[in-house]
Amino acid sequence: EVSTKTIDILFNPSKDHDINETNLNKAIDEVCLQVELAASAKTGIIILSDKGISKSKAAIPLLLAIASSNQHLIEKGLRFNSSLIVETGQIASSHDVATALGFGASAVCPLTIHDRAQTLMPNNVETALNNYRQAIAKSLMKIMGKFGLCTAESYIGGEIFESNYLNTDDPQLKKHFPNISSPVGGVG
């Protein structure tokens, strides 16, 4: 039997910029520590979830949570111990799915899509979700084909992205996104 562990990817937001940044960084470090402990314990599936957002808890930006967890596991030599799955309201489009997979998620559960399917097609939820899965699969095949990849396993965690107008040499970003470059540099 495969063991699972769900880890919240949430933080305490603040209107004060400095406090907000500190809280976000602490939360990312805590997520990475929890992911490390779960992988060390040979947990087969680690679920990163923002399902618990509330008035007092905000979601860590999804790509930041995935990339940080993935890089942390690589640094600790634990990446092959566990699969990272995301359960999130931050995914809607094929681009969202592609970037989540590209930064290290092995699978996604797009809560927003499930909610939309239940709201818009309450009598046909399974059909709506199946249509979404087919559309995402087709889009991912097109994206992967542009890189000459034919399996999702080759794409997952590959970080084959370029950043536009983001200073990828910034120490904070470099820590979480070490393999991303920005040919046009950053803004600001």
Side-chain angles (χ1 to χ4, degrees):
E1 183 175 307
V2 177
S3 58
T4 63
K5 174 155 180 66
T6 301
I7 298 171
D8 288 332
I9 53 171
L10 305 171
F11 75 104
N12 297 318
S14 173
K15 291 182 181 181
D16 180 278
H17 176 271
D18 293 333
I19 293 172
N20 199 54
E21 184 176 348
T22 299
N23 289 350
L24 177 60
N25 287 327
K26 282 182 183 177
I28 291 168
D29 290 344
E30 180 60 28
V31 166
C32 289
L33 178 61
Q34 289 183 44
V35 166
E36 177 186 343
L37 293 173
S40 294
K42 305 279 191 227
T43 303
I45 297 173
I46 300 170
I47 302 166
L48 302 177
S49 178
D50 64 18
K51 192 175 184 177
I53 62 171
S54 65
K55 290 180 181 179
S56 62
K57 292 284 186 182
I60 295 172
L62 185 64
L63 297 182
L64 188 55
I66 295 168
S68 300
S69 299
N70 187 53
Q71 289 303 319
H72 189 75
L73 289 177
I74 290 168
E75 288 171 13
K76 298 296 181 181
L78 299 169
R79 185 59 187 100
F80 295 114
N81 287 6
S82 306
S83 293
L84 296 174
I85 310 289
V86 292
E87 176 186 53
T88 180
Q90 298 179 58
I91 288 181
S93 71
S94 58
H95 177 267
D96 298 334
V97 174
T99 53
L101 295 175
F103 280 112
S106 297
V108 300
C109 177
L111 298 174
T112 306
I113 299 305
H114 285 261
D115 184 55
R116 286 181 189 170
Q118 290 171 350
T119 301
L120 299 175
M121 299 180 74
N123 298 326
N124 241 343
V125 173
E126 278 308 310
T127 300
L129 293 175
N130 189 45
N131 290 344
Y132 178 78
R133 280 189 289 272
Q134 288 177 354
I136 292 297
K138 188 174 182 177
S139 294
L140 287 174
M141 292 305 287
K142 285 182 180 180
I143 293 167
M144 291 186 312
K146 290 179 182 179
F147 296 105
L149 302 173
C150 59
T151 65
E153 288 80 11
S154 299
Y155 185 80
I156 292 170
E159 299 179 13
I160 47 179
F161 305 107
E162 279 187 353
S163 171
N164 291 324
Y165 308 110
L166 192 62
N167 183 4
T168 54
D169 290 328
D170 176 88
Q172 184 72 4
L173 290 176
K174 200 64 161 170
K175 174 183 175 185
H176 304 296
F177 302 101
N179 303 311
I180 304 303
S181 65
S182 180
V184 294
V187 173

